[in-house]
Amino acid sequence: MSDSAVPVPPRLCDATLAGLPAHVARPAYDRTRTRIGVVHFGPGAFHRAHQAAYLDAVLDADPAWAICAVSLHSPGVRDALRPQDGLYTLVLQGERPALRVVGSIRELLCAPQEPEAVLARLADRDVRLVTLTITEKGYCLSADGVDLAHPDIVHDLASPEMPASAIGWLVAGLRARRDRGFEPFTVLSCDNLADNGGRLRRAVLQFAAQLDPRLADWIETGVAFPRSMVDSITPASDDALRAWVAAQAGVEDAWPVQREPYTQWVVEDHFPHGRPPLERAGVVLSDDIAGYDRAKLRLLNAPHSALAYLGSLLEIDTVAAAMREPALAGFVERLMQQDIVPTLKLPRGFDPDAYIDAILARFRNPAIAHRLAQIAWDGSQKIPVRLLGTIADALAAGRPIERLCLPVAGWLHFVRRQARHGVPIVDPLADTLARVGAAGSGEAKGEAVGGTAGGTVGQMVDGVAGGTTGKVAGGAAGGVDAFLALDAVFAPLSADERFVAALRRAYAALGDASPAAVAAALAADGRA
Ligand code: CS2
């Protein structure tokens, strides 16, 4: 050891919990008395900052709802948190940051490495709830069910006892319970998809029917898939956060998480096999959450994506910095008020102006460095559910779509720029996007773009009337048509010539996508 070695603080774990400084909040219950009642797939930062924190707040009232956190791919979270007995720090980034150690995760598993343990947990009688945050792409969805051509689904249908996908695991767990004569668990999707529970239910039933029609019937009659809306801005953790937590708490936490103080969870109250007392933690339980989920996707996530693509082209790094750019902030506000709100069916009592003001204030939060690059990930999955549904509704209502097309055109320029500069694209369609993006901006008529494996994303567009998905004639705005041929993203909207024309105009309005050109396009609201 060199003389200059800095003493390493002890690791956060059950044994060091009591010695934390008084300003660090910690579990208000005896962890050893809790029982695992929830299996969660996808324990990324969002789950740990959101649902796990809510459950942490109910365990003193009801110890039956501790979490077994299951990663479907990498062992990173398990390896970071197992030595910490599942404990981690949550930092609320408000005017003054607040620290809290969350204790609701009692077990961590990595499915590909410990499949037997995962199956045993899913089949455990005490487990009555399975929750998921696996991002849009994790659901392997098709228009109205599961994408039977998705490689993970193909794999899981061939090897149902050793699944790779979340749907494969849900069905394996439910089958094990049926075979043992146990009641099923309730399945709660917590991802940013409108009608997330309904979509997951249809996908699970379709998958199960392929394997065992009687199992599908059992699931159909007995398993609830409540819908939910989740909301809290959760930037990725970084080394600065780790160092700050170590300095504040005096312990080393391998994977702290951070979020804004604002948080919301609206859940359809349909749990036939019991549920945690979520209302004690501030969860809104409702018989009908339709409207909340769409309002959040369209009024928060769509503007987020607009800031991500247009802001990146302006060479801006974070959401707060993007909001300091008057042309961009003004554009996004007009987009929300003038284009998005009129397409929404809002829940009773919902005040869109107050909601928009609160979102804009959250975006401006200077305490959070929320990278635009993080939001820009997975555009092929996000653009349809965030923007194309609104565009389809606006078209159906005869409303203008010029402004709505600008962020979509921004995504195309963003992809093209990354492809041309050889920057890796983070997206399940990355290879296809890189190929399309790197191609010349002039294009052949009806250029065929294949290889959209894993993508049935276009079919996730909500509220789009069915229609043909003919290839789009090439020509006008160089650069657009090869993207429009990606049915996985743009069908069926790509068959609507009003959309095609407006997207070409918006793409052209962004010119060479230099900051000056983008600023001009923003000022003109996407009109060339
Ligand atoms: C963001 C969301 O990364 C993204 O795409 O738009 O994660 C957003 O921060 C959350 O949905 C807020 O609840």
Side-chain angles (χ1 to χ4, degrees), residues 147-390:
D147 176 7
L148 291 169
H150 191 291
D152 288 353
I153 298 299
V154 171
H155 170 276
D156 291 0
L157 287 172
S159 325
E161 67 300 331
M162 193 61 86
S165 71
I167 287 178
W169 275 112
L170 289 171
V171 172
L174 288 166
R175 187 214 288 260
R177 295 176 82 97
R178 190 230 13 209
D179 291 350
R180 279 166 215 203
F182 292 177
E183 288 196 323
F185 44 66
T186 295
V187 181
L188 180 60
S189 164
C190 302
D191 277 292
N192 283 322
L193 292 167
D195 186 22
N196 49 15
R199 304 208 60 177
L200 178 56
R201 176 173 185 271
R202 290 190 286 279
V204 164
L205 289 177
Q206 198 186 339
F207 178 93
Q210 298 282 316
L211 289 176
D212 174 351
R214 286 174 50 198
L215 176 63
D217 289 345
W218 186 80
I219 295 174
E220 187 162 20
T221 17
V223 182
F225 293 79
R227 290 183 286 180
S228 76
M229 183 274 260
V230 293
D231 191 7
S232 194
I233 290 174
T234 306
S237 308
D238 55 17
D239 287 342
L241 181 73
R242 255 181 290 272
W244 188 82
V245 165
Q248 290 290 315
V251 289
E252 189 204 339
D253 180 348
W255 207 329
V257 295
Q258 57 181 335
R259 67 161 165 82
E260 60 176 340
Y262 178 92
T263 181
Q264 194 179 27
W265 195 6
V266 185
V267 178
E268 193 176 16
D269 197 1
H270 182 37
F271 293 80
H273 309 290
R275 64 161 169 80
L278 294 168
E279 60 278 18
R280 293 181 68 106
V283 175
V284 177
L285 288 141
S286 162
D287 287 341
D288 179 14
I289 76 144
Y292 283 100
D293 51 356
R294 205 155 286 195
K296 190 263 173 170
L297 265 173
R298 292 185 177 193
L299 280 174
L300 188 149
N301 294 112
H304 240 180
S305 290
L307 292 172
Y309 300 121
L310 297 166
S312 297
L313 295 175
L314 288 167
E315 290 167 15
I316 297 171
D317 202 21
T318 65
V319 175
M323 292 299 292
R324 289 195 294 273
E325 189 59 47
L328 187 50
F331 171 82
V332 162
E333 204 171 329
R334 292 193 295 282
L335 188 74
M336 294 162 92
Q337 274 159 352
Q338 295 176 33
D339 300 284
I340 301 175
V341 167
T343 69
L344 287 172
K345 265 201 225 93
L346 294 166
R348 211 172 328 123
F350 192 102
D351 176 352
D353 292 330
Y355 192 64
I356 289 175
D357 286 350
I359 289 171
L360 293 170
R362 291 165 63 196
F363 285 177
R364 284 191 216 102
N365 181 352
I368 283 197
H370 196 190
R371 308 258 159 241
L372 295 179
Q374 181 188 342
I375 302 165
W377 288 355
D378 290 352
S380 73
Q381 308 282 303
K382 292 175 177 175
I383 293 278
V385 291
R386 295 178 178 201
L387 282 155
L388 300 186
T390 301

Side-chain angles (χ1 to χ4, degrees), residues 422-435:
V423 178
I425 297 172
V426 182
D427 195 292
L429 297 192
D431 294 347
T432 307
L433 292 175
R435 189 153 41 80

